Amino acid sequence: CRTDSLMMWTLAVSLCVCQPISVRAADRKVVLFVHESLAPIGATPTAAMTEWCTLNYCSPAPTSHIVVGERVDINITGAHLTSNGNVTLAVLSDPGMPSGCHVTASETHGIGSVNAEMKRLSFMPIAGQEGILYKVCIKASDANLPSDNVTYCFALNVHAPVVAFKSETALTVERTVGVNCPVLLTLLPYDESDQGYCMEMFAGKNNDASAALPSGAQLTHVGTESRNKRGSHDGCAHNEWLLAWYPVRGQEPHTYTYCVHARDTACMGYRCAQRGRDICFTVHVVKCKYCLSIGETIMHAAARYKSDWLQIWGANPHIVSPDSIPAWTSLQLGPMYSVRAGDTLENIARRFGTSSNNLLEANPDIQVVNDQGMINMGDELCVLPYVCTLEQMSSGGGAYRALD
């Protein structure tokens, strides 16, 4: 210190201005152990120090890569090159530590004739901390000469998941089917960042009810392919979900656009919307087509639509034998007729040997006003003409009839 005197009025004031004592790099005695891939910071450690450090994992890596629920323990070690030197370790308040990070009190370890001070930093990120790169800085100082100090910073990288779908996922975005025809979509969401975060799925878009599933459609979790678990929200290679729908009568003819939403199980709040992924599908349910369920025959289809099996068989020339039709085979129920000028439901029904009520049932898109079906020129109607005569039909030789 140097002392300066000031005279103000009759009062003499002495000021002591302290000048910091600088320490040349060559004179530093404080050692702060860093990762072996980095050059030494501060004084160069002795061979004995380096060996001890290697055996005791005394230094943190430049960056630790972790996931939510995965605990990381980091040893931070400082030493003095002289036997009578003391080192203090401190975590700098700027940038500080992530929430939930803990540091133990110093432990003293003997390395030959000198002592090393070690602190242990422990951190287990929780949901909401993923996607953040935390910086932590450690300062080692000579307890007797604070200007002899070194600082080392390292990073804690909490990886965030990236929602994606495996390439084998059946993501045909547009299909055309008939009534009772299976619309089966296998969905395989996974973490594209390869951190193994697990995924879950919900019907509809995120916070958007307009893309809800059509009536009768179901989203079901089939199973999970596991991988080695690291954190509390990982351990999944991928999840398998099945989106299944069998359109029923009355849902044709109509085009349905519906969506499902995939997200990771660690997301919270707005992060779910940010990281989630929506996939939407368009399905055209057409009339005059029907798929046989397991155990159904062409006779069941004829009974459902008040037609006869010969007519349906004739409309499907690709079917060789009506007695051995595999389940879920799509059947053309009858021809499509384009309404002409002057046509009415009654004269169309007479022309094709059916009834107006049957035409209305086969064409649920026809608007009925005052018990009259309203049709317009150019409308496409599904017609189910009878092939058998009334006498044959009454004898049951091929007519529609109620089946269990």
Side-chain angles (χ1 to χ4, degrees):
C1 290
R2 74 174 186 270
T3 303
D4 296 330
S5 296
L6 293 177
M7 183 65 69
M8 181 176 296
W9 300 99
T10 60
L11 177 65
V13 181
S14 294
L15 298 179
C16 180
V17 181
C18 294
Q19 302 291 336
I21 300 175
S22 61
V23 178
R24 296 182 306 167
D27 296 331
R28 292 188 184 278
K29 302 299 182 182
V30 172
V31 175
L32 185 58
F33 293 96
V34 297
H35 194 261
E36 59 187 10
S37 63
L38 303 176
I41 298 177
T44 302
T46 63
M49 288 181 175
T50 301
E51 182 180 0
W52 179 89
C53 184
T54 301
L55 293 175
N56 291 275
Y57 305 99
C58 74
S59 59
T63 302
S64 294
H65 299 276
I66 50 180
V67 298
V68 169
E70 179 185 10
R71 175 173 171 170
V72 60
D73 294 303
I74 296 174
N75 295 330
I76 305 159
T77 312
H80 202 280
L81 290 180
T82 62
S83 59
N84 60 350
N86 292 315
V87 170
T88 60
L89 295 173
V91 178
L92 297 184
S93 58
D94 184 13
M97 297 188 300
S99 176
C101 187
H102 303 282
V103 178
T104 65
S106 293
E107 304 172 5
T108 301
H109 297 269
I111 307 176
S113 61
V114 302
N115 290 328
E117 296 296 320
M118 177 184 288
K119 286 181 179 287
R120 302 181 189 276
L121 181 148
S122 178
F123 178 49
M124 180 186 293
I126 61 175
Q129 292 181 312
E130 67 280 3
I132 302 177
L133 180 68
Y134 295 99
K135 182 180 179 182
V136 179
C137 295
I138 304 297
K139 184 177 181 180
S141 306
D142 187 325
N144 300 315
L145 186 59
S147 58
D148 185 0
N149 63 78
V150 288
T151 300
Y152 172 58
C153 298
F154 56 92
L156 302 171
N157 187 12
V158 186
H159 287 274
V162 178
V163 181
F165 288 87
K166 286 191 171 290
S167 58
E168 60 264 33
T169 296
L171 296 181
T172 302
V173 296
E174 190 166 1
R175 295 188 180 186
T176 299
V177 299
V179 170
N180 201 47
C181 296
V183 184
L184 305 177
L185 300 166
T186 298
L187 307 173
L188 303 173
Y190 78 110
D191 177 14
E192 196 175 34
S193 70
D194 199 31
Q195 300 302 318
Y197 281 95
C198 297
M199 301 292 153
E200 56 187 356
M201 297 197 71
F202 300 91
K205 284 186 177 180
N206 185 54
N207 298 324
D208 184 358
S210 64
L213 301 184
S215 177
Q218 290 186 330
L219 179 64
T220 306
H221 181 235
V222 177
T224 300
E225 182 178 319
S226 301
R227 54 177 285 175
N228 292 335
K229 190 174 180 65
R230 292 169 52 197
S232 60
H233 291 79
D234 75 341
C236 298
H238 69 257
N239 296 87
E240 181 177 348
W241 295 73
L242 177 65
L243 180 57
W245 182 37
Y246 300 81
V248 298
R249 291 189 69 175
Q251 291 183 313
E252 83 285 13
H254 190 75
T255 295
Y256 299 84
T257 297
Y258 53 98
C259 305
V260 290
H261 177 77
R263 70 186 189 192
D264 60 271
T265 57
C267 71
M268 296 177 62
Y270 70 93
R271 288 184 175 87
C272 293
Q274 287 182 332
R275 295 205 298 260
R277 181 177 174 186
D278 296 320
I279 293 184
C280 298
F281 309 94
T282 298
V283 177
H284 307 281
V285 183
V286 297
K287 56 188 178 182
C288 233
K289 287 185 180 295
Y290 178 81
C291 286
L292 295 177
S293 298
I294 296 175
E296 279 194 319
T297 67
I298 198 170
M299 288 289 289
H300 289 86
R304 288 183 184 278
Y305 285 88
K306 298 181 179 178
S307 180
D308 66 80
W309 69 270
L310 284 175
Q311 188 278 132
I312 295 178
W313 187 25
N316 295 271
H318 61 286
I319 296 177
V320 177
S321 172
D323 298 322
S324 57
I325 304 176
W328 310 122
T329 296
S330 179
L331 299 177
Q332 181 70 38
L333 297 174
M336 297 296 293
Y337 174 77
S338 182
V339 176
R340 304 171 186 175
D343 277 343
T344 65
L345 280 183
E346 289 72 17
N347 63 36
I348 294 174
R350 284 194 298 271
R351 186 182 312 166
F352 288 95
T354 183
S355 68
S356 298
N357 286 337
N358 284 356
L359 285 177
L360 288 173
E361 289 184 10
N363 297 273
D365 54 326
I366 296 177
Q367 185 179 6
V368 178
V369 178
N370 296 327
D371 295 329
Q372 296 293 320
M374 308 302 291
I375 58 175
N376 300 294
M377 187 172 64
D379 287 348
E380 295 292 325
L381 301 184
C382 173
V383 294
L384 307 176
Y386 295 135
V387 174
C388 301
T389 65
L390 291 176
E391 291 77 10
Q392 290 173 314
M393 291 171 62
S394 63
S395 66
Y400 70 83
R401 54 193 174 114
L403 294 177
D404 296 331

